Amino acid sequence: MKKTRFPKRKAYSPQYIEKKPFFSEKEIIFRSAGRAKVLTISSRLQVIFLIVFCLISVWSFYSYYLYNKSGKIINNKDQELVETRDAYVDLMGDFVAIRKNIDEVLDSISKNNKSNKKLAEYKHQAMVMEDKIKQITSEKSWADDKKISEKTSINEALLQRDIAISERDELRKQLDDLEEAVKEIKEAELEVFARVESIAKKELQKIKSVFSSINNPIKKQGLYFNPLANSKKRNSAGGVYVPASISKIKEEKINKKIADIYKTADDLEYYREVVKSVPIGKPVWSYWLSSKFGYRSDPFNKRKSGHKGVDLASRTGNKIVTKAKGKVIKVQYSNKGYGNNVTVDHGNGFVTKYAHMHKIYVKQGEYLSIDDTIGEVGNTGRSTGPHLHYEILYKGRPVDPLPFMQARI
């Protein structure tokens, strides 16, 4: 049997091909009419193609995104435009309310502070602002939904709204400043009212203290002087006077303080009227007390005797004045007893007597005012030297004149 020989195979030896870069040169073969044409694309050209492709892709994506986004923006702006119109309506309502508040505040304080230029400026600015907003909202075509897009753009509408809001905020700020000014004015008024009331009360207390001091000698005679029983107030009718213009202030504290002031002032006026008929003070400016009220040793016979007044030693010719208004009820010229003397009725039970006068200036029936001069110090009648014998009688009973002379208002 014949053996078949097979060719001897070479041992397998793998070959490794070097990996080419991604942008290595590439060849494109075109076959046409039995001919082949080779187009070579370089690495640089491949990079340029890739960059252009990326740019086109990014631009396409951005254009698509911008298209969708712009549609939403336009819709939002349209909605804001509608809201802008509503905002103007709300703004007008708010402004009218603020305007009314400003008018009320200005009306309430202008009566007491007419010279305040700042308040007038606030009112003028508010009127100008109101006219501007009314002028804008009065245009029907502007408020018409169909003509909004024709009348104004989105940016204009937003700008107008911002301006209106800014002006409203400024007006509110001015209103806050005005309210703060009104608050300060009220506080200042309360301080002034408190001061006025305090002064009136002090004056009233002084007069009451005087009445209290002169009641001490009167009580020793078993009597009492009640200033509230003034005969000049018989036909009195009551209530604290509060002017109508002030009573309209809608401020409880101020109204109460004003009422207190008028009550105190009314009481002070009443007591001042009463004190005009009470002989308080010194009938002679320069003197020294030579004999007190009450029992004493008679200057002539040295026996114990009653003395109904006080003796005020002074120079002949010194003026004698009456310390309360009244009517002269007696004028007597004599060289005995009281000598030349004058008696004055002051009303409310008070009568004063002036004796041993050198000269008399008044006549019987004459009406006198406080500090009217009625004569001069002398030495007439039963007297040991120039002096004024001064008596005060209350309801016909003599009382010590010294507390009356020492009292001060």
Side-chain angles (χ1 to χ4, degrees):
M1 182 175 181
K2 192 176 180 180
K3 295 182 179 178
T4 304
R5 292 184 179 181
F6 293 95
K8 191 176 180 179
R9 296 183 179 179
K10 295 181 180 180
Y12 175 72
S13 177
Q15 296 180 357
Y16 293 92
I17 301 173
E18 183 180 358
K19 188 176 182 181
K20 296 181 179 181
F22 182 78
F23 291 106
S24 62
E25 288 188 357
K26 297 197 174 39
E27 295 180 351
I28 300 176
I29 301 173
F30 296 94
R31 292 182 180 275
S32 177
R35 294 182 180 182
K37 185 180 289 187
V38 179
L39 179 61
T40 303
I41 302 176
S42 64
S43 299
R44 184 177 180 182
L45 187 58
Q46 292 179 46
V47 172
I48 292 174
F49 283 158
L50 179 60
I51 292 174
V52 172
F53 177 77
C54 291
L55 291 175
I56 293 173
S57 299
V58 171
W59 181 81
S60 299
F61 177 77
Y62 177 76
S63 298
Y64 177 78
Y65 172 78
L66 187 62
Y67 177 78
N68 291 333
K69 186 67 176 179
S70 61
K72 294 180 180 179
I73 292 174
I74 292 174
N75 291 333
N76 291 336
K77 294 300 181 180
D78 290 340
Q79 183 64 27
E80 289 179 3
L81 182 60
V82 175
E83 293 175 355
T84 300
R85 181 197 61 187
D86 297 335
Y88 266 104
V89 177
D90 295 338
L91 175 61
M92 187 58 191
D94 293 342
F95 184 84
V96 170
I98 294 173
R99 180 76 167 82
K100 290 181 179 179
N101 291 336
I102 292 176
D103 288 339
E104 291 178 0
V105 173
L106 290 176
D107 290 340
S108 66
I109 66 176
S110 60
K111 296 177 181 179
N112 298 327
N113 197 8
K114 295 183 178 180
S115 63
N116 194 329
K117 296 181 179 179
K118 187 174 182 181
L119 299 180
E121 291 178 1
Y122 286 157
K123 190 170 184 179
H124 177 69
Q125 291 176 1
M127 294 176 65
V128 172
M129 179 62 188
E130 184 177 4
D131 291 339
K132 287 182 180 179
I133 297 178
K134 284 183 177 180
Q135 183 178 0
I136 294 173
T137 55
S138 62
E139 298 180 6
K140 295 182 179 180
S141 59
W142 184 89
D144 189 356
D145 292 335
K146 295 181 180 180
K147 296 184 179 181
I148 288 178
S149 59
E150 299 176 2
K151 193 71 178 180
T152 181
S153 64
I154 296 176
N155 291 335
E156 290 175 343
L158 293 174
L159 180 60
Q160 290 293 336
R161 185 184 67 176
D162 291 342
I163 292 174
I165 293 175
S166 176
E167 291 180 347
R168 182 187 65 181
D169 293 341
E170 180 64 22
L171 183 59
R172 285 178 175 173
K173 181 179 180 299
Q174 293 179 356
L175 180 59
D176 292 339
D177 293 340
L178 180 59
E179 290 177 349
E180 186 65 24
V182 172
K183 183 179 178 181
E184 292 177 358
I185 291 173
K186 288 180 180 179
E187 292 176 355
E189 286 178 345
L190 288 174
E191 291 179 1
V192 172
F193 291 155
R195 181 62 178 167
V196 171
E197 184 181 14
S198 175
I199 294 173
K201 285 183 176 179
K202 286 182 179 179
E203 294 296 321
L204 181 60
Q205 188 59 39
K206 286 180 181 179
I207 298 176
K208 288 183 177 180
S209 298
V210 168
F211 287 155
S212 178
S213 64
I214 66 174
N215 259 315
N216 291 328
I218 294 176
K219 288 178 181 178
K220 292 179 180 180
Q221 300 297 327
L223 301 173
Y224 178 76
F225 171 62
N226 182 9
L228 296 178
N230 183 14
S231 62
K232 299 182 182 301
K233 287 283 185 176
R234 288 176 181 173
N235 298 324
S236 58
V240 178
Y241 170 68
V242 179
S245 59
I246 296 180
S247 64
K248 292 181 180 179
I249 298 177
K250 299 178 180 179
E251 184 68 35
E252 184 177 354
K253 289 184 179 180
I254 294 180
N255 281 333
K256 185 178 183 304
K257 184 60 67 175
I258 292 175
D260 292 341
I261 289 174
Y262 275 99
K263 182 180 183 304
T264 304
D266 188 59
D267 291 343
L268 179 60
E269 182 181 359
Y270 171 80
Y271 275 87
R272 280 178 173 173
E273 186 63 29
V274 174
V275 82
K276 290 179 181 179
S277 300
V278 181
I280 296 174
K282 304 172 184 179
V284 179
W285 176 250
S286 176
Y287 70 91
W288 61 276
L289 184 64
S290 59
S291 183
K292 296 183 179 180
F293 173 85
Y295 290 100
R296 68 171 183 172
S297 175
D298 187 82
F300 288 95
N301 56 32
K302 305 302 179 182
R303 295 179 182 178
K304 187 176 181 179
S305 62
H307 192 218
K308 295 181 180 181
V310 292
D311 288 340
L312 307 176
S314 185
R315 294 180 61 180
T316 301
N318 281 352
K319 305 302 180 183
I320 302 171
V321 297
T322 179
K323 300 307 295 183
K325 64 181 183 179
K327 179 181 179 180
V328 179
I329 59 175
K330 182 181 179 181
V331 174
Q332 183 178 18
Y333 295 90
S334 173
N335 285 321
K336 298 180 180 180
Y338 281 163
N340 299 333
N341 65 90
V342 173
T343 303
V344 179
D345 185 1
H346 303 285
N348 290 320
F350 287 102
V351 173
T352 55
K353 289 184 178 181
Y354 311 83
H356 309 301
M357 299 172 66
H358 176 63
K359 289 183 179 181
I360 298 175
Y361 296 164
V362 295
K363 297 179 181 179
Q364 185 173 341
E366 185 177 345
Y367 287 92
L368 305 175
S369 298
I370 298 175
D371 290 332
D372 278 354
T373 302
I374 61 173
E376 298 176 2
V377 173
N379 190 26
T380 60
R382 193 171 183 267
S383 172
T384 59
H387 74 283
L388 170 67
H389 174 82
Y390 180 50
E391 291 184 16
I392 296 179
L393 295 89
Y394 180 64
K395 293 185 177 180
R397 296 186 184 182
V399 296
D400 187 0
L402 199 57
F404 289 80
M405 295 169 58
Q406 293 174 343
R408 292 182 180 181
I409 298 179

